[in-house]
Amino acid sequence: PGVGERLAEFPVEPKMAKCLLDSLEQGCAEEMVAIAAMLSVKQVWVPGRGSRANYEKADAAVAEFAVNEGDHITYLNVLRSYEDEGVGNPEWCRENFLNYRSLQRASEVQRQIAAYLIRIQRSDALKASAGGRIDSSQTTLTSCGDDTDTLRRCLISGFFANAARLG
């Protein structure tokens, strides 16, 4: 199938689907899947309530995850931290002003999108081998680790229309 047909098959908006497809080539599929999952949920942060001190604690919690590279990478940091510390731990989420149910949902969506990308990866490998032998048991996605430049290039491939030039 062509690119347009593949984009239409994805359970995410076309811009994100383009990022996900490109992530297979750019070597950052694992991170892009996490970002797509986080963007699919509502209300990741729980606002501080009551006293001014609670609002300040909430702001400090957000700042712990925030990075200069932007909100997408911040969401990636949140999901990674949740996977390391918060799975099955609603108290950790409360302490970090994170919505536990939203993060549970994001993890579920992440698994679904990853499974879909792995199927595409296998299909592409079969076509590329032209009948030869390939390892069709591949069950992992590539990761760029902490290489946010590659990840941001991949994001731009899908969201290029949202970019603006300053100056």
Side-chain angles (χ1 to χ4, degrees):
V3 174
E5 290 171 323
R6 278 191 163 172
L7 296 180
E9 292 173 3
F10 268 91
V12 296
E13 67 175 273
K15 291 176 184 178
M16 182 52 70
K18 176 76 167 110
C19 294
L20 288 164
L21 283 176
D22 287 353
S23 73
L24 291 172
E25 295 173 16
Q26 296 199 31
C28 58
E30 186 178 302
E31 291 79 12
M32 193 57 60
V33 167
I35 290 170
M38 288 296 285
L39 292 174
S40 75
V41 298
K42 296 178 182 176
Q43 192 90 27
V44 173
W45 306 103
V46 175
R49 296 183 187 209
S51 69
R52 179 150 177 82
N54 276 348
Y55 286 106
E56 289 172 358
K57 284 180 186 176
D59 288 345
V62 171
E64 283 291 316
F65 297 103
V67 291
N68 290 333
E69 289 89 357
D71 291 345
H72 293 91
I73 310 301
T74 296
Y75 281 148
L76 175 62
N77 289 343
V78 168
L79 191 58
R80 282 178 171 169
S81 293
Y82 170 74
E83 290 169 345
D84 291 344
E85 308 281 338
V87 174
N89 188 354
E91 184 57 34
W92 179 87
C93 289
R94 244 187 318 280
E95 290 169 4
N96 288 285
F97 292 85
L98 295 167
N99 186 322
Y100 182 68
R101 286 188 179 161
S102 290
L103 292 175
Q104 284 180 310
R105 177 71 181 134
S107 288
E108 180 182 316
V109 170
Q110 182 181 23
R111 283 188 294 277
Q112 292 169 358
I113 295 173
Y116 189 77
L117 266 186
I118 288 168
R119 278 196 307 274
I120 288 175
Q121 198 169 253
R122 285 181 185 160
S123 172
D124 288 353
L126 280 171
K127 288 176 189 166
S129 71
R133 295 188 54 91
I134 62 150
D135 179 11
S136 62
S137 65
Q138 184 170 358
T139 58
T140 59
L141 296 170
T142 56
S143 171
C144 61
D146 293 329
D147 181 6
T148 58
D149 288 340
T150 299
L151 191 53
R152 290 187 302 162
R153 275 194 297 277
C154 194
L155 281 165
I156 289 170
S157 75
F159 290 94
F160 64 90
N162 295 47
R165 182 175 171 200
L166 299 176

